[in-house]
Amino acid sequence: MTVAAGIGYALLALGPSISLFVSVISKKPFLILTLLSSTLLWLISLIILSGIWRPFLPLSSTTWWPYGILIFTAVAFQEGLRILFWKIYKRLEDTLDAFADRVSKPRLFLTDKMQIALAGGLGHGVAHAVFFCLSLLTPAFGPATAFVDRCSQMPFFLVSAVIALAFVTIHTFSMLIAFNGYAEGNKVDQFFVPIVHLASGMVNIIQRLNKNSSIC
Amino acid sequence: MESVPDLHNSMYKVLDGYPCVRLLNLSGEIGCSNPGREKVLAPIIRFKNANELSQSSAILLSMGEFQNFFKRISNDSTFARNVGGVLVESGAEPQNMLKEFSPARKFPQAEFSPYRSTNYKWNPIGSGIMWNAYNFPVFLLSESGTLTLQEEVVRNEKSKKSYTSVVAEFDLVMQTMKAGTHDSESCLKEETCLPLGGYSVWSSLRPINISSSDHSKPIILTMASMDSASFFRDKSLGAESPISGLIALMAAVDALSHVDGLDKLSKQLVFLVSTGEAWGYLGSRRFLLELDLQSDAVRGLNSSLFEMVVEVGSVGKGFNQGIQNFYAHSTGVSSALNKTLDALKRAQDSLKSDNVTISSASASNPGIPPSSLMAFLKKNSLTSGIVLEDFDTVFSNKFYHSHLDELSNVNSSSIVAAASLIARTLYTLASDTKDLSSSSLTAIKVNVSLVEELMGCLLRCDPGLSCELVKKYISPTDTCPSHYVGVIIDEPTSTPYPPYVGDVSRFLWNFLADRTSIPRENTSPVCSEDCSSKGGVCIGAETDGKGVCVVSTTRYVPAYSTRLKFESGTWTVLPPNSSEPIGILDPIWTESNWNVIGLRVYTIQSAAYDRLVLLGGISITILAYLAILITKSIITKAMKQD
């Protein structure tokens, strides 16, 4: 598929993240720090999760419910992490506001808060994209292409890039909506995010296990 | 799929196959090679769909289309220009499809014949395909390779996408092609090739006592050859030609070794198995040269004492409607020859119950068939010799020098019959007539299970060279036997470094030494340093038991062109020598060096699709950027209004 296609797939998965980074996040160093720390936290959560699940692996591929429990615990853990993130952020916000008061500078605006949430969500999304799509992309730079039986209309790399793009979007906006929900105490928003997260995970499982359905 | 290496392996499928490699001689080259330094990438197309080729393609053939394809290559140059590579499928039952196939010439090695009629067709179905040079790679796929390829092709056809195609990637880059050396002399000088050759083995049935002065026993030399050739380097079994003869010779030696009174024989029985015979009779010619030079390799042999030469040719297809028929092709006129023909008749009579017949070859033949005896005759036209074959006027082998000359092409009962004939004839010849009785003749019996075991070891992959008989003597490097002569590594000597000697040569040396040996007196049979110092040899030195020390006259003789000389690490071509008139006809075959040989198949996308993907990625990035800018401006405007 050559270098052109490889770069194309990488841009497809991470292009919007790059644009967001360049236009919004790189302007403020604090946002870069937020992005990096949220990426790190997401990866640590995955490592802890895999550590907890290690004794139960490998799961049998014929029944679906072990996978269901796996996804459920993963999503629950990450949502818990999100709340933790929110709590840390709240404390940080208070500290920053107090500091701003002392040096008579303005407090955090709404846009600032949204940008911090955006950076957090983007961190999660970029980590997901890098680890679930970019790491598989090395063979794409060679001359051959790959087609998976379950979706033979599109090359495998195209499918994984599109899915990664979808997850980046989900993660970014989830964080935004969740922070908004926690701040305003809006229950709808608070529950919207975990449900969407769980739903996307479950759909993934269903398609992986049901050999007749097509990812396309 | 668990990881990236798994993904890589499922994308790039390695095909298991046998290549055809580049061989060179003094005037040019034959065989196949990639045209340059790069791998060849070509989309796969079936021969029956390939009427017109629009681009360089890899042609997929079945064995039945092989000959037609090469005929088309030689006739149609526009077609030939677009052939990037060739893949040959191996079907499960090739014998059902092809009744005959031979890529050799109609009179193999005619230039060495002692008679003038070189137009005689010993091998009428020979097409001569393997003697041409091709500038594209050719691979014969194994059965697993054929299955893998068919899966890929079928999957691509089913998906019906116009932007993907299945390509084959051929890696058959030959060093002589890279270096631009296109004949033996230049490539040997540049060290981009190595000469063909190996190690022949000779053995004397009762060990020759070198120190004793009595060396005047006449010698009867019985020989066979152990190498074959084919279009595909690693798939030349040569079951009928010549391995059937080799097995018959080994079984005859085994039968004779159990006879009482071998010390009382009035003639010396010497057995020679030479290699390189398919490439200019390298083994025989070198053997004769070493005899002239009285070198270490042939110490104890005096060529003036050679009374008779008996060669065992192809003897695996003598079985015909319940009778085993063999033919004696003879040359020269002498009393020794008459005695041999009488001995053959006596042996035939003693085998009447087994329905074995031997007849003289037809007088309408121009002479002896292509055989090592031709090299002997070129050296000394008065040599008396007989070639024992299972055919009279034309080869009975319908797959001469092809990869299809395999186990199913020979019959074990035919080989057993030939071995019995040889053993009894040699015993008759070698003993005084007064000692000979019909009972002593009928006591010589060939071990049928030995013949079948040898066929399993030398002509099959399972058990192949890991069979018990072979493992008793050597540790083989490969399980699947191959009888291509190979190249000479390093300096040729009569005491070679064992890893440089081929598996079959080492096995033969040990087998013959074991059968022709007498135990050592006064010392233990375990091999140690003093074994060779006291005139013994070590059998089975490579095995775990570390071998047995016995007394036997069994030696290696290097087999390579008499016009080559190895000095200070390189090979030089010598001018033709008047003492060996046959040397001027020697093509001096060499084989090109190479780095790796491989074959992969995978699916590629068209370049347009790749560019589309790149465009898609770039446009999504730019669109996202614009969307973010617009959103930012909307938000700032909304904030300003607050």
Side-chain angles (χ1 to χ4, degrees), chain A residues 1-2 4-5 7-9 11-12 15-16 19-20 23-24 111 135-136 139 142-147 152-153 155 157-158, chain B residues 4 7-8 11-12 155 161 163-164 602-605 609-610 613-614 616-618 620-621 624-625 628-629 632 635 639:
Chain A
M1 260 172 345
T2 70
I7 296 178
Y9 292 127
L11 282 181
L12 207 59
S19 311
L20 203 57
S23 55
V24 176
T111 47
S135 60
L136 296 178
T145 184
F147 285 86
S152 50
Q153 282 96 323
F157 299 105
L158 189 59
Chain B
V4 176
L7 180 62
H8 195 264
M11 280 166 72
Y12 298 93
R155 179 148 38 116
K161 280 190 277 292
Y163 58 88
T164 57
Y602 45 83
T603 317
I604 58 165
Q605 292 172 167
Y609 193 84
D610 286 346
V613 167
L614 182 62
I618 293 176
I620 278 212
T621 312
Y625 188 70
I628 291 164
L629 287 181
K632 262 207 311 195
I635 291 181
M639 297 304 290

Side-chain angles (χ1 to χ4, degrees), chain B residues 47 89 129 155 159 168 181 216 249 259 279 289 312 323 347 375 541 549 573:
Chain B
F47 183 51
E89 291 176 323
I129 293 176
R155 179 148 38 116
S159 63
T181 50
S216 59
L249 182 120
V259 164
W279 299 99
L289 185 64
V312 189
I323 309 178
C549 187
V573 177

